[in-house]
Amino acid sequence: MKKTCTYNIDCNKCEIRSKLFCSKLEQVELKELSNTVTHLEFPKDTNILSEGDPITHIYNIIYGMVKVYQLKANGDEQIIGFLYPGDFFGSHEGGTYDFYTQTIVPSKLCKIPINDFEKYLQNNRPVYDDFYDAVVNELKLARIQINILSQNNAEDRVIDFFKLISKKQVSYGMPQSPVTIPMSRYDIANYLALTTESVSRAITKLKNKQMLKAKSLNTFELCL
Amino acid sequence: MKKTCTYNIDCNKCEIRSKLFCSKLEQVELKELSNTVTHLEFPKDTNILSEGDPITHIYNIIYGMVKVYQLKANGDEQIIGFLYPGDFFGSHEGGTYDFYTQTIVPSKLCKIPINDFEKYLQNNRPVYDDFYDAVVNELKLARIQINILSQNNAEDRVIDFFKLISKKQVSYGMPQSPVTIPMSRYDIANYLALTTESVSRAITKLKNKQMLKAKSLNTFELCL
DNA sequence: CGCCATTTTGAAGGTTTTCAATGTCAGTGG
DNA sequence: CCACTGACATTGAAAACCTTCAAAATGGCG
């Protein structure tokens, strides 16, 4: 699969608009926005942007999933979040992005030029408020990750990871269980600051304890 | 030492105003603010507010130091930050605070009623922008902590902690080194998700490696 | 000066990492 | 259609590191 672009978007028909700042825009603004956005389809494992790139766009996730990561001092990557449809990334970092993003499954993104976005931010207070709330939410998620990492027990971290994904699913209208894990064991391990082996062993133990039931390699019934 | 209150503040004479949103206020607003703020002096280890308390005030730190922590699912506390003079805490959580704060040394705080603060937020765009930047900065600090915690090596975490404090000192106009550590080994350990013993051993090793030179129990020359 | 809290040091035990090998699954080509 | 391949996941065993529990040392403060 190759990257495909779509122009002539009609934002009024957007399937995820209700979840985004766009829902706060006036009809006039929305019509205007339709002319500046691009829809992009990316295959799995596509880099969208890198730390240090000049900020040019805001990206909304229409479908698929994106991982966000930083590089640590030693050069290793550290995943700081997984983005679901309705999530966005790309702003509040000053002049350049301060993280990397990569699709982990085939994904469709909506790309808005930063200048247009800034305009709405300046002129439309509800948009600004919405955006502000999004940052606060990111902060909460970061602190949840801190709480997860502060447990030095692989099993507890993995349990928390499944709970986190379960909650994410609920907030995106999916069922609480079973949980679908599109990310690789490597990505889970990275997010939890463990090795893939430790994640694998923890999952095995949880299955033995009947706390997880594997429906497939990436789907689990939760009994936590 | 007991808590002492001061009224009749003159915000124009505030020693930390330049570091705070107040520097974005008009003279008229500042005069008005002077009538609503209170200055409070607290001894070491005083709880200022708890998770779940209704949001009533914004607190600015004039001098001293405050630790911010959350309670984990198991009831343990998890420190998520240390606040220096010029830092503030108390908003962007909805109706209630979602963390605990406690002084770790004798501290003087400036307490602003949330209603007054919200008014400036609504009416004065630079104040809002300033405040927004503060949240973004908190997010960056949270992600730094994630990067620290993702290293499963006590020595590396402790090194990063010293570097972090060193940077904090610089941004508050203090020298890069020596570093002064007002927090207890317990607090350091908690922030780093280690035990006090591990922190102590890591510091000993770093001293042996000449990477740290202890000038006193809480002051270290850095050679990192 | 002496007490008490905090910090440091010690030894044993437990968990994770590391390195290696095996197992599993999807996609490819014969 | 099936065997093969390569990426990913799981399992195994040894080593490394942190935690735990205990004891000694240090430093602040009355």
Side-chain angles (χ1 to χ4, degrees):
Chain A
M1 191 172 91
K2 297 192 62 182
K3 164 182 152 176
T4 54
C5 271
T6 316
Y7 300 101
N8 300 323
I9 314 293
D10 182 353
C11 288
N12 267 311
K13 292 182 182 155
C14 178
E15 51 267 63
I16 53 153
R17 182 162 62 90
S18 64
K19 291 178 179 163
L20 285 164
F21 79 94
C22 325
S23 64
K24 302 290 189 302
L25 293 178
E26 315 280 337
Q27 267 304 321
V28 188
E29 291 174 318
L30 205 60
K31 187 152 193 182
E32 195 183 64
L33 186 64
S34 293
N35 294 323
T36 58
V37 305
T38 321
H39 281 188
L40 300 160
E41 283 182 83
F42 293 107
K44 187 175 182 294
D45 300 327
T46 308
N47 294 312
I48 309 298
L49 57 82
S50 298
E51 182 175 352
D53 289 351
I55 295 180
T56 56
H57 295 83
I58 295 280
Y59 296 83
N60 299 313
I61 299 172
I62 298 175
Y63 67 70
M65 193 168 298
V66 168
K67 69 175 176 184
V68 183
Y69 61 97
Q70 297 182 323
L71 287 191
K72 293 191 284 185
N74 63 12
D76 289 347
E77 69 177 66
Q78 176 58 49
I79 296 176
I80 53 176
F82 297 99
L83 303 181
Y84 279 68
D87 289 334
F88 73 93
F89 59 93
S91 192
H92 60 79
E93 301 84 5
T96 56
Y97 300 116
D98 65 352
F99 49 73
Y100 299 77
T101 52
Q102 189 180 93
T103 57
I104 58 177
V105 294
S107 306
K108 185 175 179 182
L109 306 183
C110 166
K111 189 175 169 181
I112 306 174
I114 192 74
N115 292 338
D116 297 298
F117 179 72
E118 292 284 357
K119 194 173 59 184
Y120 301 126
L121 224 49
Q122 292 300 323
N123 301 337
N124 188 324
R125 182 57 179 250
V127 169
Y128 198 139
D129 288 340
D130 221 45
F131 193 59
Y132 174 80
D133 288 344
V135 182
V136 171
N137 193 49
E138 275 194 81
L139 182 60
K140 286 186 181 170
L141 287 172
R143 288 177 173 168
I144 288 172
Q145 190 176 2
I146 289 171
N147 282 340
I148 292 175
L149 294 181
S150 72
Q151 303 180 106
N152 24 20
N153 176 306
E155 231 173 290
D156 290 341
R157 290 193 206 176
V158 170
I159 289 175
D160 281 354
F161 182 78
F162 278 93
K163 285 183 180 170
L164 185 65
I165 299 297
S166 176
K167 275 189 193 169
K168 276 261 191 188
Q169 285 196 173
V170 171
S171 74
Y172 294 111
M174 296 180 263
Q176 182 188 12
S177 177
V179 153
T180 303
I181 308 288
M183 52 291 275
S184 67
R185 295 291 187 272
Y186 170 82
D187 284 340
I188 300 174
N190 188 289
Y191 180 85
L192 297 176
L194 294 170
T195 58
T196 55
E197 293 93 330
S198 292
V199 170
S200 185
R201 278 186 253 266
I203 291 177
T204 302
K205 280 188 201 166
L206 292 172
K207 283 193 286 194
N208 291 340
K209 290 183 183 173
Q210 316 282 324
M211 298 175 75
L212 287 180
K213 279 182 198 138
K215 305 190 64 132
S216 79
L217 194 59
N218 298 316
T219 312
F220 298 88
E221 202 88 53
L222 300 191
C223 319
L224 303 179
Chain B
M1 192 173 89
K2 296 193 61 183
K3 164 183 153 178
T4 54
C5 271
T6 317
Y7 299 102
N8 300 320
I9 314 292
D10 181 352
C11 287
N12 267 311
K13 293 181 181 156
C14 177
E15 50 268 63
I16 53 153
R17 182 160 63 89
S18 64
K19 290 178 178 163
L20 284 164
F21 80 93
C22 327
S23 64
K24 301 292 188 300
L25 293 178
E26 315 281 337
Q27 266 303 321
V28 188
E29 290 173 318
L30 204 60
K31 188 150 191 182
E32 195 183 64
L33 185 64
S34 294
N35 295 322
T36 59
V37 305
T38 320
H39 280 189
L40 300 160
E41 283 182 81
F42 293 108
K44 185 176 185 291
D45 299 328
T46 308
N47 294 312
I48 309 297
L49 57 82
S50 298
E51 183 175 353
D53 289 350
I55 295 180
T56 57
H57 295 84
I58 294 282
Y59 295 83
N60 300 312
I61 298 172
I62 298 175
Y63 67 69
M65 193 168 296
V66 168
K67 70 175 176 185
V68 183
Y69 61 97
Q70 296 182 322
L71 287 191
K72 293 191 284 186
N74 64 10
D76 289 348
E77 68 176 66
Q78 176 58 49
I79 296 176
I80 54 177
F82 298 100
L83 303 181
Y84 280 67
D87 289 335
F88 72 92
F89 60 93
S91 193
H92 61 78
E93 301 85 5
T96 56
Y97 300 116
D98 66 352
F99 49 73
Y100 299 78
T101 52
Q102 188 179 93
T103 57
I104 58 178
V105 293
S107 305
K108 186 175 177 182
L109 307 183
C110 166
K111 188 176 170 181
I112 305 175
I114 191 73
N115 291 338
D116 297 298
F117 180 72
E118 291 284 358
K119 194 173 61 186
Y120 302 126
L121 224 49
Q122 291 300 323
N123 301 338
N124 188 323
R125 181 59 178 249
V127 170
Y128 198 138
D129 288 339
D130 221 46
F131 192 59
Y132 174 81
D133 288 344
V135 182
V136 171
N137 193 50
E138 275 194 81
L139 183 59
K140 286 186 180 169
L141 287 172
R143 287 175 174 170
I144 288 172
Q145 189 176 2
I146 289 170
N147 283 341
I148 292 176
L149 294 181
S150 72
Q151 303 180 105
N152 27 20
N153 175 305
E155 232 172 290
D156 290 341
R157 290 193 205 177
V158 170
I159 290 173
D160 280 354
F161 182 77
F162 278 93
K163 285 183 180 169
L164 184 65
I165 299 296
S166 175
K167 274 188 194 168
K168 276 261 189 186
Q169 285 195 173
V170 171
S171 75
Y172 295 110
M174 297 181 263
Q176 181 188 12
S177 177
V179 153
T180 303
I181 309 286
M183 52 290 274
S184 66
R185 296 290 187 272
Y186 170 82
D187 284 340
I188 300 173
N190 188 290
Y191 181 85
L192 297 176
L194 294 169
T195 58
T196 54
E197 293 94 329
S198 292
V199 170
S200 184
R201 278 185 254 266
I203 291 176
T204 303
K205 281 188 202 165
L206 292 172
K207 283 193 287 194
N208 291 339
K209 288 183 185 173
Q210 316 282 325
M211 298 176 75
L212 287 180
K213 279 183 198 136
K215 306 190 64 129
S216 77
L217 193 58
N218 298 314
T219 312
F220 298 88
E221 202 88 54
L222 301 191
C223 319
L224 303 177

